[in-house]
Amino acid sequence: MTILVYLIPIALLLGGLGLAAFLWSLKSGQYDDLDGAASRILIDDGDKPA
C-alpha cells in the first residue's frame, strides 16, 4: 500500500505533463491545417530529383 504514495503523484505528474504538451501544441498551431497534409500527397510535383 505504501507504493501508492509514490505511484499516484507520479501518475498525476505524467498526466499533467501530457495535458500541458497537448495544450502547447494547440496554442502553437499544430492542428490548424489538417486537410493540407492529406491533399499534398496527391499533388504531382513533376520530375523532382530525390
Side-chain angles (χ1 to χ4, degrees):
M1 267 323 224
T2 59
I3 192 72
L4 291 177
V5 174
Y6 298 109
L7 290 179
I8 291 174
I10 290 171
L12 290 174
L13 178 70
L14 288 175
L17 286 174
L19 180 63
F22 175 70
L23 291 175
W24 171 80
S25 70
L26 280 178
K27 186 179 277 192
S28 68
Q30 294 291 320
Y31 302 106
D32 284 347
D33 186 20
L34 296 177
D35 293 329
S39 62
R40 237 180 318 205
I41 196 167
L42 300 174
I43 298 171
D44 185 21
D45 289 340
D47 293 327
K48 280 189 174 179

